[in-house]
Amino acid sequence: MNVVLIMVRVGILIILALMLNTALGYENKVDSLILLAITIFCLKSMNIGRWVFVFIVLVSALYIPVSLNYGHPNLTIISALSETNVSEAIEFAKDTDWLAILIAILFTGSTLFLFHFVPKVSSKKLNIFLVVVFSFLLFDKPIRTMIDRKVSDDYVYKTISYMRYAPARFIFDWYDSYDKYHEYNKQIRSQREVASTWIITKENDVPQNTILVIGESVRKDYMNAYGFEANNTPFMSHSVGQLWLDFLSAGPNTFTSVMRFITLGDGINIELNNNINTLASTAGIETYWISNQGRMGEFDTGISMIASYADNLSFTRSGSFRDSNVYDSALLPEVRSALSENQNSKLIVVHLIGSHPGFCDRVEGDVDFSFNGSKISCYIQSIKQTDSLLSNINDYAKQQPIDYNLIYLSDHGLGHREGGKNLRHDPLVKQAYEVPLFITGSNFDERHIMTPRRNGFSVLKGISEVMGISTVKLDKMSSFFSEVDDKAIVNNGEGEIVDFQSLNEDPIK
């Protein structure tokens, strides 16, 4: 065969391997590309090989909109799928970048076209040689890694997890992430039967309202209060209180971060029974949970399980097929009612849908801004909408005869997509963790800019101090309001604590 033709066909094999590996969200390494190239080469020689290849291509094409945003299957994707209701899934589909769809279509057409030019294996010796090379490359990396890390158990699991063969890893990563997520939720559910172990060492004798507002998907560099050019935070930009400049979310998604804001834990493991609601209740404070996020059925998710500890529960969404878009303003009557219920001390947690992706679906009314396309303009407007809601809640709290504190923070930020014209979850960028924290209340008479670094793992300590509560366990932690910096660490959403400084920069484009 002509040497040039051989080189062209080898080149086609490598291109196909590169396309498939990338579509499934994996890093391109020499061994992974050779493994895929051998697979494609052998499929061409099998009777059903063409249909197997078509199946692999279609699966890869369907996954492209996900891999472009989130990479290969992982715990972040599984938790998002498991805790997303039908209306949010529809919003994700509507917000899918048309370019991603075009790439998937071009990928399908081009891979099927190029497959026609892949030669068939015509030699038994070549077959044997390919099998030997494939087997060596398949197991070389896993074996070397297990030796280096002195692995002494779970050999099959570790072997597959260290492989660089995309088809096997794709199936394994779905299974492994699903298993980890549900094992984690199983452990959390088992804690539901365990009583809290708070031992109160100090209570606040003066009745007060504490309102914790948990925002959604807000990165602070898109807020005027933190220097953004658009005037989208008139309340936070000028109100008395504390604006924290260096606050890091506990994680890059709601599932990871909120659980660690409001439970006792070490950054990875949490004590579900020792949560914000049981803390307040043990100190004699009435608790409310008012949410615009899906409940997904009784005790189905970690956050709704924590919510279930509250004395009073209110969800605008059940997570059912009947769900439709509900604006955060629907929470205001519930908040107002809770504040005026009585003159006792209350903890009111307000969980917003905020600036969740599908930004234009979050906006109630007109968009006042024009910045880098319609999606980012809606994102900026959604932040202004949250700021307005905070202002309303603050006004309601002022009208009550007892003191109050209002705490606002966002669960996590986002990373840019589409050349800066859209935003999605991205655990690899710093801005996914750099979120706002603002505290105001009746005891503030001036504005303070707070510079100590705080990470999301110390939020429960801060809330306890705001409520005037001390406990044996929380007393071991430094004061949230001290000048001592927290460590610059975050949970990456995969159950790992990582150095914040090791993450990538993702500035506003």
Side-chain angles (χ1 to χ4, degrees):
M1 186 181 292
N2 187 292
V3 175
V4 174
L5 183 58
I6 293 175
M7 292 179 64
V8 169
R9 290 186 167 182
V10 170
I12 288 172
L13 275 172
I14 296 300
I15 290 170
L16 284 171
L18 184 69
M19 292 172 69
L20 286 170
N21 202 60
T22 303
L24 294 175
Y26 293 99
E27 187 178 3
N28 290 302
K29 298 286 187 179
V30 174
D31 52 353
S32 62
L33 295 179
I34 294 174
L35 285 167
L36 268 175
I38 292 174
T39 301
I40 297 165
F41 191 37
C42 292
L43 285 176
K44 186 63 180 281
S45 306
M46 299 166 58
N47 291 331
I48 63 168
R50 182 186 302 274
W51 299 110
V52 173
F53 182 76
V54 169
F55 176 75
I56 294 172
V57 167
L58 291 178
V59 170
S60 302
L62 290 171
Y63 189 69
I64 281 175
V66 181
S67 66
L68 286 175
N69 287 301
Y70 307 111
H72 62 79
N74 54 60
L75 191 57
T76 298
I77 296 172
I78 291 296
S79 63
L81 286 173
S82 300
E83 304 202 3
T84 294
N85 57 38
V86 174
S87 62
E88 287 177 344
I90 294 171
E91 286 163 3
F92 175 83
K94 285 167 56 181
D95 196 46
T96 300
D97 180 17
W98 64 268
L99 184 59
I101 297 173
L102 178 60
I103 290 172
I105 293 171
L106 291 174
F107 166 85
T108 304
S110 57
T111 49
L112 295 178
F113 174 75
L114 289 173
F115 188 67
H116 287 292
F117 299 97
V118 174
K120 294 182 178 181
V121 180
S122 57
S123 165
K124 187 176 182 179
K125 289 183 179 180
L126 180 58
N127 254 327
I128 296 172
F129 173 74
L130 291 176
V131 169
V132 171
V133 172
F134 184 90
S135 301
F136 173 77
L137 292 177
L138 187 66
F139 294 106
D140 174 59
K141 172 68 165 55
I143 291 173
R144 284 191 292 108
T145 304
M146 286 193 289
I147 292 172
D148 290 343
R149 299 185 182 182
K150 296 182 172 66
V151 173
S152 58
D153 56 5
D154 292 333
Y155 294 113
V156 174
Y157 175 89
K158 294 293 174 57
T159 297
I160 301 174
S161 67
Y162 295 144
M163 277 182 182
R164 285 179 175 167
Y165 183 49
R169 278 294 304 277
F170 188 75
I171 297 169
F172 172 80
D173 286 342
W174 275 117
Y175 164 78
D176 187 49
S177 299
Y178 181 87
D179 185 62
K180 285 178 178 176
Y181 174 78
H182 283 278
E183 180 61 31
Y184 180 66
N185 262 352
K186 181 181 176 181
Q187 292 174 10
I188 291 174
R189 285 193 295 272
S190 68
Q191 294 179 31
R192 187 68 177 82
E193 308 304 318
V194 180
S196 66
T197 58
W198 296 117
I199 300 175
I200 303 296
T201 57
K202 176 191 171 186
E203 294 181 13
N204 189 352
D205 296 330
V206 180
Q208 70 167 22
N209 290 318
T210 302
I211 309 119
L212 171 64
V213 180
I214 303 173
E216 168 71 54
S217 300
V218 177
R219 41 186 283 173
K220 70 181 184 184
D221 57 351
Y222 272 100
M223 306 180 79
N224 179 255
Y226 288 91
F228 185 60
E229 61 185 66
N231 184 23
N232 63 341
T233 56
F235 172 71
M236 278 184 58
S237 294
H238 303 290
S239 295
V240 298
Q242 297 178 343
L243 184 74
W244 290 76
L245 298 185
D246 195 2
F247 176 65
L248 302 177
S249 173
N253 52 53
T254 304
F255 171 74
T256 305
S257 63
V258 175
M259 297 284 282
R260 287 159 183 81
F261 284 161
I262 56 178
T263 60
L264 198 63
D266 59 8
I268 295 179
N269 302 300
I270 67 166
E271 298 177 23
L272 183 83
N273 54 321
N274 290 325
N275 62 65
I276 191 172
N277 285 319
T278 56
L279 172 65
S281 294
T282 305
I285 298 173
E286 189 173 4
T287 54
Y288 295 75
W289 191 284
I290 301 170
S291 176
N292 195 23
Q293 300 234 359
R295 183 172 184 167
M296 299 287 290
E298 189 176 20
F299 311 147
D300 279 355
T301 72
I303 296 171
S304 62
M305 276 189 278
I306 294 172
S308 71
Y309 284 93
D311 300 318
N312 305 276
L313 274 170
S314 175
F315 283 85
T316 61
R317 307 169 188 232
S318 65
S320 72
F321 280 91
R322 296 185 296 275
D323 276 355
S324 58
N325 188 41
V326 180
Y327 299 119
D328 283 334
S329 60
L331 302 176
L332 288 173
E334 295 287 341
V335 176
R336 190 170 203 168
S337 174
L339 284 167
S340 59
E341 186 78 19
N342 53 55
Q343 307 305 310
N344 300 326
S345 289
K346 292 181 285 292
L347 168 67
I348 304 170
V349 179
V350 185
H351 196 186
L352 309 180
I353 196 69
S355 301
H356 190 287
F359 310 127
C360 293
D361 290 330
R362 310 292 161 233
V363 174
E364 183 177 12
D366 297 329
V367 177
D368 302 327
F369 307 100
S370 178
F371 187 91
N372 215 2
S374 61
K375 293 175 182 177
I376 297 297
S377 298
C378 287
Y379 182 69
I380 297 167
Q381 184 71 34
S382 69
I383 293 172
K384 183 177 182 181
Q385 194 166 273
T386 294
D387 185 78
S388 176
L389 181 138
L390 292 173
S391 179
N392 285 326
I393 293 175
N394 191 64
D395 289 341
Y396 297 162
K398 279 183 178 178
Q399 294 166 10
Q400 307 310 312
I402 62 177
D403 287 347
Y404 76 96
N405 282 292
L406 170 61
I407 306 166
Y408 166 71
L409 49 75
S410 179
D411 55 359
H412 58 82
L414 299 167
H416 285 108
R417 295 290 184 271
E418 302 172 35
K421 295 181 181 295
N422 201 1
L423 292 159
R424 288 286 187 190
H425 292 76
D426 190 344
L428 301 180
V429 302
K430 291 179 178 178
Q431 286 75 12
Y433 306 88
E434 293 183 322
V435 296
L437 172 61
F438 180 69
I439 304 173
T440 189
S442 52
N443 293 322
F444 291 99
D445 53 15
E446 58 185 14
R447 185 175 177 82
H448 303 275
I449 303 300
M450 309 297 288
T451 56
R453 181 194 309 117
R454 290 290 173 266
N455 64 44
F457 309 132
S458 60
V459 167
L460 186 61
K461 171 69 172 180
I463 297 171
S464 72
E465 291 181 290
V466 168
M467 291 192 294
I469 302 172
S470 295
T471 75
V472 171
K473 290 187 176 182
L474 291 174
D475 285 346
K476 297 175 183 177
M477 301 172 62
S478 299
S479 171
F480 190 86
F481 300 95
S482 73
E483 294 298 317
V484 179
D485 285 341
D486 285 352
K487 292 180 180 179
I489 54 174
V490 294
N491 186 311
N492 67 355
E494 297 295 314
E496 300 171 339
I497 299 298
V498 300
D499 180 2
F500 173 75
Q501 298 302 334
S502 69
L503 301 170
N504 302 320
E505 290 286 356
D506 179 45
I508 293 174
K509 307 286 191 296

